[in-house]
Amino acid sequence: MRFTDKNKNQKTNIVLGVTGGIAAYKSAELVRLLKKDGFNVRIIMTKNARQFITPLTLAVLSENKVYTELFSKDQEDEEIRHISLAHWADLFVIAPATANVIAKIALGMADDLLTSSILAFQGPVIFAPSMNTVMISNSLYLKNADTLISKGYSFIDAEKGVLACGDYGSGRLADPVKIVNYIKKKINPELFLADKKILITASATREPIDDIRFISNPSTGKMGFALAQAARDRGAQVTLITGPTNLQDITGIKTIHITTASEMYEQVEFFFDSTDIFISAAAVTDFKPINYVAGKIKKDLVQNMNLQLEKNIDILKTVSKKKEKQILVGFAAEVQDLLTNACSKLKSKNLDFIVANDVSRIDSGFAVDTNKVFLIDKDNNQIEFPLLTKLELAERIFDCLQEYLKKQNNGFTE
């Protein structure tokens, strides 16, 4: 199967088939994400799919007509629908794909618009199955799926979880973000982060003095969250460990909320061995009180308070001692001697890259939407970036990582 030859500036045309399962409601989010990423989307809905979500919803989100019937009732619509859609499409995606539609396509049936269009289509077809866990493990279903796979069709594995019927097991529709990333990889096999595991820390940690007071810093997590979003959009499996923040969790990213540096370290250590790239963007509080006071220290009872502090664990330096295949990226938030201090951290923590950020600037660093940084690699090559939004900077960092990984031939490119 091949994609239709297109000018590189043309958008990819996707026909999304929505079939009759409870997960059909998730197709709305899938369409939104596909449109956000610049795909042209047309939708075919089966009769049963319309029991779960309306064609109007998907028409509004796709900005296109939704097709439901094999034959048009509009006299002005003279197209042969299953042929015209097959000619228009570069890619067919069926999500959710029920056991019924998979069986029909495996048998070569063409009894509605969706199955007829797929039979007339010569490009790649992707199935994202969704059904009860007993059905998805049934030998008859597995035989049909194997038949389609042997013919060159692709399947996105269903996820485990609590199903609509209350059972627990495999059968949940894959997350829409995962489906979009799979599509991107299908279109661009060189998507360098596809299926790679990236661990990112974000925001500040807090070290309690008593039950209501703590030591911390102004970090809001914006840079770490931007990095997580950029990595997700390039196909990575992202785990984000964040301190307290007002930012919303990002769809498709495993987000773990912690408070203290020791809690962040426990989570980093847990995920580190299976990680391909670790980006330490969190502003970990360097010191913590030696003595924690339960309850609230009453100021009327204390005239002078001496707060004794001790060093916190250096998370990045500690896990770097276990470094094997991992690529390590650190951040240096400095107010003076920016490059000197950043290079010192780069070497002492055994990093591959460090992002040197002058947080004395009012337009860069904590609690703002922009950053002005240098990116330095372990060979002391330096790139000075202009003032960028944090998401733009995240994209630039991953561009550099991509080039680095290609040169190193470190198993991240095909």
Side-chain angles (χ1 to χ4, degrees):
M1 293 182 175
R2 296 179 179 273
F3 287 101
T4 305
D5 291 335
K6 297 171 73 72
N7 182 287
K8 66 179 182 179
N9 293 321
Q10 288 183 279
K11 294 182 179 180
T12 299
N13 295 334
I14 294 177
V15 171
L16 173 64
V18 182
T19 67
I22 185 63
Y25 78 92
K26 295 183 180 179
S27 61
E29 175 65 4
L30 177 57
V31 173
R32 187 189 70 81
L33 292 172
L34 289 171
K35 291 294 292 183
K36 178 176 176 289
D37 282 344
F39 294 103
N40 292 322
V41 183
R42 293 184 181 178
I43 298 163
I44 298 174
M45 296 184 70
T46 64
K47 179 180 179 181
N48 288 337
R50 284 171 270 161
Q51 302 296 316
F52 297 97
I53 186 170
T54 67
L56 178 60
T57 298
L58 299 182
V60 171
L61 291 170
S62 67
E63 301 177 311
N64 261 322
K65 179 180 179 179
V66 172
Y67 298 87
T68 59
E69 303 293 341
L70 180 58
F71 302 106
S72 173
K73 297 177 183 179
D74 185 351
Q75 293 181 351
E76 296 181 0
D77 185 357
E78 297 180 352
E79 65 180 359
I80 303 175
R81 287 186 172 177
H82 62 292
I83 302 300
S84 63
L85 286 168
H87 286 170
W88 178 83
D90 298 307
L91 176 72
F92 264 72
V93 179
I94 306 177
T98 59
N100 181 59
V101 76
I102 289 169
K104 290 199 295 183
I105 295 170
L107 292 172
M109 295 178 63
D111 63 348
D112 61 9
L113 179 57
L114 180 58
T115 54
S116 297
S117 298
I118 288 176
L119 204 61
F121 182 57
Q122 295 181 308
V125 179
I126 298 171
F127 294 90
S130 174
M131 62 196 76
N132 180 270
T133 187
V134 177
M135 297 172 69
I136 206 166
S137 60
N138 188 290
S139 60
L140 293 174
Y141 165 77
L142 294 174
K143 181 180 179 181
N144 291 329
D146 287 343
T147 296
L148 291 171
I149 291 170
S150 71
K151 300 294 184 184
Y153 295 91
S154 301
F155 278 71
I156 301 174
D157 291 339
E159 297 179 351
K160 289 185 177 180
V162 178
L163 307 177
C165 61
D167 290 346
Y168 179 89
S170 180
R172 290 172 60 94
L173 179 69
D175 187 279
V177 171
K178 183 177 180 180
I179 296 173
V180 172
N181 285 336
Y182 188 96
I183 292 168
K184 290 179 181 178
K185 184 180 179 183
K186 195 74 174 177
I187 295 169
N188 178 14
E190 295 185 355
L191 192 67
F192 90 108
L193 289 184
D195 301 325
K196 303 307 173 187
K197 295 181 179 179
I198 296 186
L199 180 63
I200 299 172
T201 60
S203 194
T205 59
R206 293 178 178 178
E207 304 301 329
I209 298 170
D210 59 18
D211 283 351
I212 64 171
R213 301 179 179 92
F214 55 83
I215 300 171
S216 191
N217 60 68
S219 177
T220 60
K222 289 182 178 182
M223 189 67 240
F225 274 63
L227 286 161
Q229 180 179 332
R232 180 205 68 179
D233 291 346
R234 294 183 183 224
Q237 299 177 29
V238 183
T239 299
L240 177 64
I241 303 169
T242 179
T245 179
N246 292 324
L247 302 175
Q248 296 293 315
D249 289 358
I250 303 171
T251 303
I253 292 174
K254 181 180 180 66
T255 304
I256 300 169
H257 294 269
I258 56 84
T259 301
T260 66
S262 61
E263 291 170 349
M264 179 172 282
Y265 171 67
E266 288 175 4
Q267 294 296 329
V268 169
E269 187 179 43
F270 180 81
F271 289 101
F272 185 77
D273 288 344
S274 62
T275 293
D276 296 305
I277 300 175
F278 174 39
I279 304 178
S280 179
V284 179
T285 306
D286 293 324
F287 299 92
K288 64 180 179 179
I290 293 177
N291 298 309
Y292 163 76
V293 179
K296 177 183 177 182
I297 301 172
K298 303 300 291 184
K299 64 180 181 180
D300 294 341
L301 302 179
V302 178
Q303 294 300 321
N304 295 296
M305 180 176 173
N306 294 319
L307 191 62
Q308 290 184 299
L309 303 176
E310 61 182 348
K311 283 188 176 181
N312 247 327
I313 186 169
D314 188 324
I315 297 173
L316 185 54
K317 188 172 185 177
T318 302
V319 298
S320 71
K321 295 175 182 178
K322 302 197 303 176
K323 176 181 175 182
E324 294 179 353
K325 63 182 177 65
Q326 295 88 351
I327 304 299
L328 302 188
V329 182
F331 274 70
E334 303 290 342
V335 295
Q336 58 188 15
D337 298 328
L338 177 65
L339 296 179
T340 300
N341 288 331
C343 289
S344 175
K345 289 182 179 180
L346 175 72
K347 184 176 181 180
S348 67
K349 298 187 181 186
N350 192 26
L351 306 182
D352 296 281
F353 290 90
I354 195 162
V355 182
N357 190 4
D358 183 357
V359 296
S360 67
R361 295 172 56 117
I362 61 172
D363 58 358
S364 182
F366 300 133
V368 295
D369 294 326
T370 53
N371 262 350
K372 174 71 172 64
V373 308
F374 289 82
L375 181 66
I376 309 169
D377 70 16
K378 62 184 180 182
D379 297 321
N380 204 36
N381 298 309
Q382 300 177 7
I383 300 175
E384 181 178 6
F385 292 118
L387 186 68
L388 299 167
T389 69
K390 291 184 174 179
L391 185 56
E392 290 171 340
L393 176 58
E395 296 288 356
R396 296 284 191 95
I397 290 171
F398 280 116
D399 287 343
C400 293
L401 281 174
Q402 180 170 355
E403 292 305 311
Y404 174 77
L405 293 169
K406 284 182 178 179
K407 289 178 182 179
Q408 294 296 314
N409 191 24
N410 205 15
F412 286 79
T413 57
E414 298 184 3

